[in-house]
Amino acid sequence: MGSKTKTKWVCQNCGYESVSYLGRCPDCGQFSTFCEEVTEKETNKKTTSAAYMPVTSIKEIELDQKTRILTNFEELDRVLGGGFVQGSLVLLAGDPGIGKSTLILQSCNKICEQNKKVLYVCAEESTTQVKLRAQRLGVNSESLYVTAQNCLDEVLNQINEVRPDFLIVDSIQAIYSETILSSSGSVSQIRECTNMLMRVAKEKNITTVIIGHVTKEGNIAGPRVLEHMVDCVINFEGDKYKTYRLLRSIKNRFGSTNEVGIFNMEDTGLVEIKNPSELFLRDKELEPTSGATIIATVEGTRVLLLEVQALVAPTSYPAPRRVARGIEYNRLLQILAVLEKRIGLNLSKKDVYINVIGGIDIMEPAADLGVALAVLTCEKDKVIPSDMAIIGEIGLNGEIRPVSNIEKRLREMEKLGFKRAIIPKVSKSLEGKLKTFDIDIIQVEKIKDAILSATK
Ligand code: TYD
Ligand code: MG
């Protein structure tokens, strides 16, 4: 009996499947992303390969104390929630050339030191290229094994041979399996290869890092489809024109997801930045300018002091422009509306541009007051002292709402030599603690009070 070839149409952006060609993906909305892929007959798949897993009461499961594998980088460990969990599957995603291979290769030294055998599958580069890079990065462990293999079936054989504790697949887009009929780099290949790797990782308790490229256009099968399969997704991002890089955790089954690690790309590889605020702040000796404020934002467990700049300029368009870089666009509109209504600032004939220095996106509303004061001081040509930092969420009635982690933010300000701070009114219980800071703290309840205090 001849087996029938089954095909399906798969969106190469999000992995949506359809029986026929579609011009626009109903799931992700992208156009012309459907490709025909040959699928294996479902019945050919053997189900007997599943390992026997006993049923255990949760009380009886014993925790191994050494389940975390640490790397050279405290920043990476923190983003992972305290190092790699033994046997977990981690997706390291990012734009090509951002430094994913460098980050993981640099981490290998420390991993090998912990008596772990590492297998590095470099599907994109030759072993000499990896050796050259490793030399530059000072990575020279005996228990780091390298193979330039694209075929997953061979990789699985090598895993059986080498029996690694830690596996790196660089990158998943360059890997293919002969058992899957669709072409290399397609969504089906990527998904199935990850599936196979996941099975091996869980069965053999191998910590696995899968590297995946993302492109803005989404033409190449993006690692988005893998997000639900893996235990952790960490994203390596950065500005192409700057040397620092942000490592962000997007999904983490073993830790918090809003941790950020900051690195600098240097000649000898990535270097951690332990005190990032210094990197993003202007020299306090410089003359303060109008339209600039310093805010304290919390990213995960760390506080970042950032400079927010605003530019308010007469518009030459019928509808004035609002440009927000680093904060949410709708938040900016809301802040401007509050300024217009509660302060009487007329911005209807003005373009407003906001820029958070350092290319960092601020997610929390605690930056509202800083943004509002930047806009206001630019428009009124006033200057906020350069040793003053500002925190506070703005409510629609112009009230300043409390924010979390106020002590933590103040401590960071103190550490960096700030002398004045404008903060929301705090509760009685916190009042006493504020006295311990060597900062002149001004508590405000209304946006009007904040303006008066900042521009005195
Ligand atoms: P790479 O890790 O190859 O990126 P990815 O794996 O994400 O595609 O690193 C790419 C860039 O990093 C490359 O343009 C050169 C730069 N780089 C340095 O500046 N210093 C170094 O020590 C290394 C290894 C790379
Ligand atoms: Mg690479």
Side-chain angles (χ1 to χ4, degrees):
M1 215 169 71
S3 66
K4 262 200 288 180
T5 318
K6 259 177 39 182
T7 67
K8 62 185 172 191
W9 292 83
V10 183
C11 170
Q12 300 298 302
N13 187 48
C14 69
Y16 182 86
E17 292 176 8
S18 158
V19 285
S20 60
Y21 177 78
L22 296 174
R24 181 171 189 256
C25 176
D27 201 16
C28 68
Q30 294 276 327
F31 289 93
S32 308
T33 51
F34 278 82
C35 274
E36 189 171 23
E37 291 182 6
V38 182
T39 54
E40 246 189 325
K41 273 180 85 177
E42 291 295 315
T43 47
N44 286 351
K45 284 190 182 156
K46 287 206 179 89
T47 49
T48 47
S49 62
Y52 170 69
M53 290 288 172
V55 179
T56 324
S57 155
I58 195 155
K59 264 181 107 173
E60 286 160 21
I61 300 172
E62 280 178 25
L63 281 184
D64 183 357
Q65 285 309 307
K66 288 196 206 70
T67 43
R68 294 271 186 179
I69 303 173
L70 298 181
T71 69
N72 291 32
F73 296 117
E74 273 174 35
E75 297 283 285
L76 174 59
D77 290 345
R78 204 162 39 82
V79 171
L80 288 164
F84 287 101
V85 171
Q86 177 76 48
S88 66
L89 188 67
V90 177
L91 173 67
L92 173 59
D95 292 337
I98 203 82
K100 301 179 293 298
S101 310
T102 311
L103 178 74
I104 206 71
L105 194 60
Q106 262 181 289
S107 311
C108 284
N109 256 358
K110 183 78 176 278
I111 297 170
C112 292
E113 272 171 29
Q114 293 162 73
N115 252 339
K116 304 280 180 208
K117 231 191 237 178
V118 181
L119 178 61
Y120 187 113
V121 181
C122 45
E124 285 180 354
E125 294 160 299
S126 67
T127 45
T128 17
Q129 274 173 310
V130 173
K131 170 77 186 173
L132 278 175
R133 181 181 304 144
Q135 220 165 28
R136 198 162 137 193
L137 301 172
V139 179
N140 206 4
S141 282
E142 220 164 281
S143 53
L144 170 61
Y145 296 85
V146 183
T147 171
Q149 183 58 261
N150 290 71
C151 178
L152 186 67
D153 314 289
E154 275 306 310
V155 171
L156 296 180
N157 287 340
Q158 282 164 344
I159 290 174
N160 280 336
E161 239 170 69
V162 179
R163 304 202 157 274
D165 305 285
F166 200 97
L167 174 72
I168 299 161
V169 180
D170 186 3
S171 67
I172 191 74
Q173 270 95 355
I175 290 275
Y176 71 94
S177 165
E178 277 168 355
T179 56
I180 301 152
L181 300 170
S182 44
S183 61
S184 165
S186 67
V187 170
S188 300
Q189 278 282 0
I190 291 182
R191 195 167 33 196
E192 285 308 312
C193 288
T194 308
N195 232 330
M196 286 190 219
L197 285 167
M198 178 171 71
R199 224 173 300 151
V200 174
K202 301 290 171 202
E203 264 171 38
K204 298 194 168 35
N205 201 22
I206 303 173
T207 315
T208 308
V209 177
I210 294 175
I211 294 179
H213 297 295
V214 269
T215 61
K216 296 240 159 51
E217 298 77 31
N219 290 339
I220 303 176
R224 302 231 124 228
V225 289
L226 310 180
E227 280 180 10
H228 69 276
M229 272 191 232
V230 299
D231 296 313
C232 291
V233 181
I234 45 178
N235 222 356
F236 209 29
E237 6 179 294
D239 202 323
K240 275 266 152 66
Y241 308 102
K242 304 255 172 69
T243 52
Y244 59 84
R245 308 269 185 266
L246 294 185
L247 192 65
R248 211 183 268 279
S249 119
I250 293 177
K251 166 182 175 179
N252 195 348
R253 287 189 179 145
F254 316 108
S256 145
T257 51
N258 40 21
E259 286 292 351
V260 189
I262 303 180
F263 296 86
N264 201 19
M265 181 63 97
E266 293 180 5
D267 289 347
T268 48
L270 291 158
V271 178
E272 295 172 276
I273 299 175
K274 293 273 168 61
N275 198 348
S277 293
E278 281 175 359
L279 183 78
F280 301 124
L281 289 181
R282 198 159 29 109
D283 196 344
K284 279 208 254 343
E285 305 300 308
L286 294 177
E287 270 292 294
T289 57
S290 73
T293 50
I294 309 292
I295 55 135
T297 179
V298 176
E299 286 269 10
T301 54
R302 100 177 331 158
V303 178
L304 283 181
L305 289 183
L306 299 171
E307 183 178 338
V308 177
Q309 288 187 337
L311 179 67
V312 182
T315 187
S316 45
Y317 304 97
R321 303 195 66 176
R322 308 286 185 235
V323 178
R325 291 188 60 195
I327 64 163
E328 219 191 314
Y329 180 70
N330 286 331
R331 268 222 101 74
L332 171 62
L333 296 189
Q334 186 179 316
I335 294 167
L336 296 183
V338 172
L339 283 175
E340 296 209 43
K341 175 79 185 166
R342 307 288 164 199
I343 308 295
L345 194 69
N346 187 359
L347 297 166
S348 61
K349 303 247 172 354
K350 301 283 172 79
D351 288 337
V352 179
Y353 300 85
I354 297 289
N355 188 21
V356 177
I357 305 295
I360 291 189
D361 288 328
I362 305 173
M363 307 294 179
E364 55 159 11
D368 286 0
L369 188 56
V371 175
L373 288 179
V375 172
L376 192 110
T377 55
C378 183
E379 172 65 5
K380 300 271 181 214
D381 217 9
K382 294 243 166 78
V383 167
I384 292 182
S386 56
D387 61 355
M388 178 184 270
I390 292 157
I391 332 168
E393 178 182 348
I394 299 178
L396 293 183
N397 294 326
E399 81 276 20
I400 307 300
R401 310 183 65 89
V403 298
S404 59
N405 296 313
I406 205 96
E407 283 179 81
K408 218 171 176 178
R409 296 179 209 247
L410 286 168
R411 207 166 303 128
E412 181 75 14
M413 290 177 197
E414 194 178 29
K415 213 167 81 190
L416 289 169
F418 282 82
K419 292 284 171 241
R420 283 174 271 191
I422 295 186
I423 65 169
K425 183 127 187 71
V426 295
S427 60
K428 283 256 150 46
S429 56
L430 264 176
E431 197 101 22
K433 287 190 189 147
L434 295 188
K435 295 204 181 80
T436 60
F437 290 100
D438 183 23
I439 302 180
D440 183 10
I441 298 169
I442 308 157
Q443 297 181 40
V444 290
E445 283 180 273
K446 288 270 170 207
I447 187 163
K448 273 193 187 128
D449 310 337
I451 294 165
L452 284 177
S453 315
T455 56
K456 236 185 333 211

